[in-house]
Amino acid sequence: MNAWNAAESADFRGPLDVTRAATVVLDARDLVIGWSPAARRLLGYAPAEIIGRPLETFLPAAEAAGPAWAERAQEASPSGSEPRTARHRDGRLLPVAITTCALSAPADAGAAPSRILVAAALDEQQVWDSQQSMLHGLATQSPVGLGIYDRDLRLTWANTAFVREIGHPLREFLGARADALYPDGEFVTEGYPRTLIEVMSNVLDTGEPILDLHFVGQQPSDPGPDHVWSCSYYRLQDARGQVIGVCEDAFDITERYQAQRRLNLLVAAGTRIGTTLDMTVTAREMTEVAVPDFAAMVTVDLVQSVLEGAEPDPGNGTLPTLVRVATRRADDPPGAPPHDPYRVAYPPGSLPYRSLSSGGMVRGESSMVVPLRSGGTAMGLVTFSRGELPSLFDKGEVELADELVTRTAVCLDNARRFTREHTAALTLQRNLLPQHLPEQSAVDLAYRYLPSDEGAGVGGDWFDVIELSGTRVGLVVGDVVGHGLEAAATMGRLRTTVRALARLDLSPDELLSRLDDLVGQTAEDRADRIGTDAAPDDVATGVTCLYAVYDPVSRHCTMARAGHLPPAVVDADGRLYFPDLPAGPPLGLGGLPFESLELELPVGSLIALFTDGLVEARERDVDEGLELLGRVLADHRRPLDELCDRALAELLPDGPAADDSALLLVRTHELDARQVAAWELPAEPAAVGRARELATGQLREWGLEELSYTTELVVSELVTNAVRHAEGPLHLRLLRDLTLLTEVSDTGHTSPHLRHAASDDEGGRGLFIVAQLVQRWGTRYTPYGKTIWTEQAFPPRYPGARRPSVRPARAQGRSDGSP
């Protein structure tokens, strides 16, 4: 017991120790027969002045120090000393503490020593008594466990709190090494050794105290859940500076530690749960927060309809179908990939079954099931499980689990609402985008549409291919700012409008002008509805569009754009360029003109129309994206579908971006000269017969005699109307493509109207008859006049005849069926 042996040299005996206090020896008659130097210092009498005089000389019997404080001092004194009032040589009264000790002497000893009286200043004695009381309380009453270890780190002394934690009498573990008292515990404070022996050895070697280390282990007296102690260690030295051991104080902070841990979990839940609007990801985030700090395993099951974005269904007595979307265990390796969702079913009587049936939390041995609720209806279940050691979740843990699940439920419900809107917008977008593209011979086509990632929501990009008269084709790509249902609906309105205007055979600049007027009017109408203080529709400044018309007969491509990126063009020799096409303002601004640009394209030229989502990204600007696209298109002779895939791989290697991406690739064809017949005729009545002859002769050459009768009627009516209502030369053109096209052009700008003639009318029936005989007919205008055209299907047995057909529009999409 080296610690106590060394401590004996220290002065622990207090102010009434005879080696230090004022000592007076009295005989049987209470006469002073001995006077110590300390007594002279305390009371002022020299030995010659006091020896032989009675005790009352310096300690009057009738005088006291005051009953109240004397009683308090007596009660507080562990040494049993008596408070009295002594008289100093100079007459002053001194409060002192007195204790006496009888000596073995016969009653009639006379002047022989009878007893010894020891006195000390009362304030000094009171301080010492207070210290003794404090030390006694520290040893017996303090909640802080105190232990003293010698240089071999063996326990030499412990207070009552320490003994209580061990749960055995001190004698049974006195002398035990520190690591034997808590064999499975370890320190969890970062930056320090993890074992008791390492920590104490470090204190012995360096002399540096270590404060507030958190030690986790099982309490020997209660081998249940782990406890946490705040431990401090400092080195002990004797009066000569020799190291005698280490003192440990430890305070059980399990409740405080658990409360702090729960608070940390809630803080982590607030920052780590709900970072996305994906329900599966949100569920996984919840398990990552709860494991391992709260539970050894956590599972999250969601009602299948909720996972699909539907409102939670209260049900009609039957339990809903559950899908396991997240599972996490404490022993899962870091970075372990999440499992795919799968359906789960629970047997009657199980905790999840009871929780789902009752709608409340259910606890079992080592597990707890808490329902995910929204609006009073369960969206799913969260199951918390302990480790191998069975123990119930306490009240605080139940409250924490409820808070974690409540926060998760709010995030899941937000994600569910987003999923519902996103699904609706995606469905709307998918239905508004081209479902089928017409078969035509003017160009070869390939296209990809990649919706934005789910974090950004559905956007308003669109593309279209429109079959026009005269074997021409209209090519459209556009972009509506924003995301969600409104952007998708706006895109649908604009796409429908563009198709309607394109069927009027308007030039690209004229089509954009009319579309601009429509968008501007829509924004003004919306502003009127929502009030002047509200922001107008983003469509007013957020719609861009590019419209191009390609004619395979002339190989001319006319295009105009409204704030959109120009197309990329690769000619037949592989030269890439971006046409210097006037930008024009975005749609809806109004007041600014649009300009068209006409290009003559060699056969086999490649045109790429795209939206900015394809070429622009957070990590690169548009110019870099255009350069990447140019590299892909440089290999222009590759199949168009392959070029589309390569473009997405190069520009969007990580899949969907924050914006929609549309890409339309077009390779131009030229209508063979043998498929075109054109004549110029004078604007006179004789031209009608000549036109019939030319048309029927050409049909014989093409082997289409079956269409001669109808074609003669069509040509007669159209040429007659042109001679009657127009001036200048007339032009007749026949085109043998997928159908037979008949066109009559003149310099007039008045379109003929289909009408029902009265029984007594001499005319007005020709165009009506023509309309009944052909598949389609219409009028298109040019800077020089107008063209009336008709379209007839080939006879079924005509060699090489192809009926006009459509092919489904293909889009690059997600595995869930999104476009």
Side-chain angles (χ1 to χ4, degrees):
M1 305 280 278
N2 295 334
W4 291 128
N5 295 336
E8 288 177 358
S9 62
D11 192 355
F12 292 135
R13 289 166 292 182
L16 291 177
D17 176 48
V18 295
T19 63
R20 302 173 55 196
T23 305
V24 181
V25 180
L26 302 173
D27 63 11
R29 297 169 297 174
D30 282 344
L31 297 179
V32 176
I33 61 175
W35 190 260
S36 71
R40 180 174 183 174
R41 289 192 298 270
L42 177 65
L43 299 173
Y45 293 97
E49 296 174 316
I50 195 66
I51 295 295
R53 300 185 64 179
L55 176 63
E56 289 80 1
T57 303
F58 64 91
L59 192 65
E63 298 186 34
W69 65 264
E71 291 176 3
R72 291 195 299 270
Q74 179 70 27
E75 293 172 358
S77 175
S79 63
S81 62
E82 177 186 1
R84 297 287 297 275
T85 299
R87 181 182 291 113
H88 195 273
R89 181 176 180 277
D90 59 12
R92 290 182 292 115
L93 297 178
L94 299 175
V96 294
I98 299 294
T99 186
T100 60
C101 179
L103 299 176
S104 298
D108 58 350
S114 176
R115 55 180 176 150
I116 296 177
L117 182 147
V118 182
L122 185 61
D123 56 353
E124 184 179 357
Q125 174 66 16
Q126 286 179 317
V127 169
W128 185 83
D129 285 346
S130 176
Q131 292 173 342
Q132 295 303 301
S133 298
M134 180 175 61
L135 291 173
H136 182 267
L138 193 62
T140 61
Q141 303 298 321
S142 173
V144 177
L146 289 174
I148 294 179
Y149 298 82
D150 62 16
R151 287 186 298 242
D152 295 328
L153 302 182
R154 297 182 180 278
L155 186 69
T156 61
W157 178 85
N159 71 347
T160 302
F162 192 104
V163 174
R164 188 184 307 119
E165 288 183 1
I166 298 298
H168 300 283
L170 178 61
R171 64 179 178 275
E172 293 185 10
F173 58 88
L174 201 64
R177 280 177 55 88
D179 52 356
L181 298 175
Y182 297 93
D184 298 323
E186 64 177 3
F187 289 101
V188 296
T189 305
E190 295 294 333
Y192 290 92
R194 303 190 71 86
T195 66
L196 277 167
I197 294 298
E198 290 177 302
V199 169
M200 290 184 178
S201 297
N202 185 69
V203 172
L204 274 178
D205 294 341
T206 66
E208 293 292 331
I210 297 180
L211 307 177
D212 195 28
L213 291 187
H214 288 179
F215 183 83
V216 177
Q218 288 187 350
Q219 189 175 21
S221 61
D222 179 21
D226 284 344
H227 284 239
V228 182
W229 290 271
S230 173
C231 302
S232 296
Y233 299 90
Y234 44 92
R235 192 166 68 180
L236 298 176
Q237 296 174 262
D238 62 16
R240 298 185 300 274
Q242 298 295 315
V243 177
I244 60 175
V246 177
C247 184
E248 171 194 61
D249 63 61
F251 184 70
D252 193 329
I253 60 168
T254 303
E255 291 187 5
R256 189 183 76 187
Y257 182 84
Q258 296 292 356
Q260 183 63 49
R261 191 183 67 168
R262 292 165 189 169
L263 179 60
N264 293 341
L265 278 174
L266 292 179
V267 172
T271 58
R272 293 170 55 189
I273 298 177
T275 60
T276 71
L277 288 172
D278 185 300
M279 285 187 282
T280 300
V281 173
T282 299
R284 291 171 184 164
E285 290 170 341
M286 192 273 179
T287 64
E288 291 169 0
V289 168
V291 176
D293 291 337
F294 182 68
M297 184 177 76
V298 177
T299 62
V300 181
D301 305 326
L302 293 181
V303 175
Q304 183 170 351
S305 60
V306 170
L307 193 59
E308 295 167 355
E311 292 282 349
D313 186 3
N316 53 0
T318 60
L319 297 185
T321 301
L322 293 176
V323 177
R324 175 70 50 82
V325 295
T327 302
R328 189 169 184 84
R329 296 176 176 84
D331 56 358
D332 285 345
H339 65 76
D340 293 329
Y342 60 91
R343 290 186 178 183
V344 292
Y346 293 104
S350 63
L351 294 183
Y353 187 95
R354 289 161 52 194
S355 177
L356 202 59
S357 300
S358 65
M361 185 273 294
V362 178
R363 278 190 297 175
E365 186 178 4
S366 302
S367 62
M368 171 172 52
V369 182
V370 184
L372 288 156
R373 306 186 67 81
S374 173
T377 305
M379 296 190 298
L381 301 173
V382 180
T383 302
F384 301 93
S385 300
R386 295 284 198 194
E388 297 180 357
L389 186 65
S391 62
L392 287 174
F393 288 89
D394 60 29
K395 179 181 178 182
E397 291 170 326
V398 170
E399 293 174 351
L400 175 60
D402 186 65
E403 180 66 23
L404 285 175
V405 172
T406 298
R407 295 191 181 196
T408 304
V410 171
C411 296
L412 285 171
D413 194 49
N414 290 337
R416 180 195 62 78
R417 294 173 187 273
F418 172 80
T419 299
R420 180 182 60 187
E421 180 176 337
H422 182 78
T423 301
L426 203 61
T427 302
L428 175 62
Q429 182 190 55
R430 184 167 54 243
N431 291 335
L432 292 176
L433 286 170
Q435 302 299 304
H436 299 88
L437 295 181
E439 184 178 359
Q440 41 70 45
S441 57
V443 294
D444 287 334
L445 296 171
Y447 30 82
R448 296 292 184 271
Y449 186 89
L450 197 64
S452 61
D453 60 33
E454 294 190 0
V458 174
D461 290 14
W462 90 94
F463 70 95
D464 208 349
V465 178
I466 306 170
E467 185 181 17
L468 302 177
S469 64
T471 70
R472 297 169 307 135
V473 63
L475 308 171
V476 191
V477 66
D479 187 358
V480 177
V481 73
H483 297 86
L485 284 172
E486 186 173 353
T490 300
M491 175 269 287
R493 292 197 305 267
L494 293 177
R495 175 176 175 268
T496 302
T497 303
V498 169
R499 291 185 69 89
L501 294 176
R503 294 298 173 85
L504 297 177
D505 279 310
L506 299 177
S507 63
D509 57 335
E510 177 65 19
L511 183 144
L512 292 181
S513 295
R514 296 198 184 187
L515 191 62
D516 178 65
D517 292 339
L518 177 65
V519 171
Q521 293 169 6
T522 302
E524 292 176 2
D525 292 343
R526 177 175 172 81
D528 291 340
R529 291 196 304 271
I530 64 178
T532 56
D533 293 335
D537 198 336
D538 287 339
V539 171
T541 57
V543 180
T544 66
C545 185
L546 170 65
Y547 179 59
V549 175
Y550 176 69
D551 187 345
V553 177
S554 64
R555 293 184 287 103
H556 285 186
C557 183
T558 306
M559 60 185 70
R561 63 183 176 127
H564 203 85
L565 292 172
V569 179
V570 183
D571 63 22
D573 297 327
R575 184 173 66 93
L576 171 72
Y577 64 97
F578 295 90
D580 188 15
L581 179 61
L587 298 174
L589 295 182
L592 297 175
F594 299 95
E595 299 180 43
S596 291
L597 175 68
E598 185 173 301
L599 303 174
E600 183 175 349
L601 301 177
V603 175
S605 295
L606 182 64
I607 308 173
L609 294 84
F610 48 87
T611 57
D612 58 1
L614 180 70
V615 295
E616 187 176 15
R618 294 186 182 94
E619 65 277 4
R620 66 164 186 265
D621 57 25
V622 174
D623 291 337
E624 292 178 294
L626 293 176
E627 183 179 354
L628 283 174
L629 179 61
R631 293 177 190 172
V632 174
L633 299 181
D635 196 6
H636 66 105
R637 299 188 187 280
R638 306 294 297 178
L640 295 183
D641 279 321
E642 181 179 330
L643 289 178
C644 282
D645 293 335
R646 288 178 56 187
L648 292 185
E650 289 289 335
L651 293 161
L652 300 171
D654 299 326
D659 197 4
D660 291 2
S661 302
L663 173 63
L664 175 61
L665 293 185
V666 172
R667 181 171 288 137
T668 63
H669 293 174
E670 181 182 23
L671 204 61
D672 193 282
R674 292 171 296 180
Q675 296 176 265
V676 182
W679 303 274
E680 182 177 305
L681 301 171
E684 56 187 33
V688 177
R690 176 61 178 162
R692 287 198 300 266
E693 293 175 2
L694 293 172
T696 54
Q698 186 63 51
L699 292 180
R700 282 194 301 273
E701 183 177 336
W702 285 342
L704 292 172
E705 292 87 347
E706 290 186 44
L707 301 182
S708 296
Y709 177 73
T710 301
T711 305
E712 281 190 81
L713 288 176
V714 170
V715 169
S716 294
E717 177 61 24
L718 298 184
V719 173
T720 298
N721 285 339
V723 170
R724 182 177 299 171
H725 300 290
E727 298 179 355
L730 310 177
H731 292 85
L732 171 64
R733 187 170 73 164
L734 300 181
L735 302 173
R736 180 171 59 92
D737 187 32
L738 301 179
T739 58
L740 176 65
L741 300 171
T742 303
E743 298 180 345
V744 174
S745 303
D746 58 46
T747 58
H749 288 83
T750 302
S751 175
H753 295 285
L754 185 67
R755 64 187 181 89
H756 291 276
S759 58
D760 56 349
D761 287 342
E762 295 182 0
R765 298 178 177 85
L767 193 57
F768 178 80
I769 296 174
V770 168
Q772 307 306 309
L773 296 176
V774 299
Q775 280 187 329
R776 294 190 304 159
W777 73 280
T779 304
R780 69 173 180 269
Y781 294 91
T782 69
Y784 314 105
K786 69 176 183 297
T787 297
I788 310 297
W789 56 269
T790 66
E791 180 179 316
Q792 299 178 69
F794 291 138
R797 294 178 300 278
Y798 181 66
R802 290 184 296 167
R803 299 182 61 187
S805 61
V806 295
R807 57 173 175 160
R810 180 184 175 201
Q812 183 77 16
R814 303 190 182 98
S815 60
D816 62 0
S818 305

